[in-house]
Amino acid sequence: MTVILTNDDGIDAPGIRALLKAVNGSGILVAPSGHYSGCGHQVTTTAPIRVEKRTDQEYAIAGTPADCSRIALNYLFPDTKLVLSGINSGGNMGVDVYISGTVAAIREAAFHRVPGIAISQYKKGRIPVDWERSARWAARVVEHLANRPYEPGFYWNVNLPYVEPDAPDPEMVFCHPCTQPLPTDFRIEGDEFYYCGEYGARKRDRGSDVEICLSGKIAITYLSI
């Protein structure tokens, strides 16, 4: 079964390498050659997109995450059965899905009737991500979700929590996406506004993915296009 791995942090980011480890090295990387975090569902239609074949298992695309899914599914590997995106360095919960390039890659797969799972790792402050642990959790998630019956037009969004190093592995919780806005705090200097919102202090609906993930559990939401 052909499994495509992509992201928005770039093909050389540690998160996508952790995702490759989560699938025991069996995926094919078709990911941006650069950093596209926060690009949403942007696609390239007025400029060439360079495709660099590094190996039979790695393709660096000079385009957005959605571009990567388009090229992978329509040209490079049309027999793809599953697309995985991540592991993103930072959460993609609630309304983040409209901003996230990580999630956009999976939404694009859903447009093409291909199952997909986006996986993000919430970061607490400046604490470094333990990618080995994230890979272990992601492996559990993929195993749990990949063989479920597929509904066209739907896709999975998963957020891995931060827990203390000596804490047990978190449980998986199926939940709904939060509808609260992101923090909209700005520092104003003259005519210039500087965003200074604190991600971890965002509002959250009871039982939503934001509340579940920030409480130390793996938040899984089922979204539709």
Side-chain angles (χ1 to χ4, degrees), residues 68-216:
C68 292
S69 289
R70 285 182 164 192
I71 290 172
L73 299 177
N74 289 292
Y75 294 95
L76 299 179
F77 300 97
D79 62 338
T80 296
K81 302 303 181 186
L82 177 67
V83 178
L84 304 175
S85 186
I87 301 171
N88 188 66
S89 181
N92 279 310
M93 312 171 222
V95 296
D96 297 348
V97 300
Y98 298 100
I99 302 167
S100 168
T102 303
V103 178
I106 299 306
R107 189 185 302 114
E108 184 67 33
F111 293 161
H112 296 275
R113 302 297 190 265
V114 176
I117 306 169
I119 304 176
S120 302
Q121 173 64 64
Y122 170 64
K123 295 170 63 179
K124 185 175 182 180
R126 298 180 181 274
I127 300 174
V129 174
D130 183 343
W131 291 113
E132 290 287 332
R133 186 167 63 170
S134 298
R136 186 173 71 247
W137 296 349
R140 286 173 51 207
V141 168
V142 172
E143 182 180 11
H144 195 73
L145 299 180
N147 294 318
R148 285 180 168 242
Y150 175 62
E151 290 185 84
F154 285 81
Y155 56 100
W156 296 101
N157 185 42
V158 178
N159 280 274
L160 309 176
Y162 171 80
V163 298
E164 295 297 328
D166 57 349
D169 286 349
E171 65 175 298
M172 294 183 285
V173 177
F174 290 84
C175 50
H176 60 272
C178 187
T179 60
Q180 298 281 358
L182 284 163
T184 52
D185 304 317
F186 289 87
R187 185 181 77 255
I188 304 172
E189 296 182 8
D191 296 330
E192 297 178 327
F193 283 59
Y194 297 84
Y195 182 73
C196 59
E198 186 180 344
Y199 188 89
R202 62 193 291 179
K203 297 177 181 179
R204 61 207 71 176
D205 300 325
R206 183 180 295 275
S208 69
D209 56 353
V210 173
E211 183 183 64
I212 295 300
C213 183
L214 296 187
S215 68

Side-chain angles (χ1 to χ4, degrees), residues 2 15 27 43 46 129 132:
T2 300
V43 293
T46 59
V129 174
E132 290 287 332

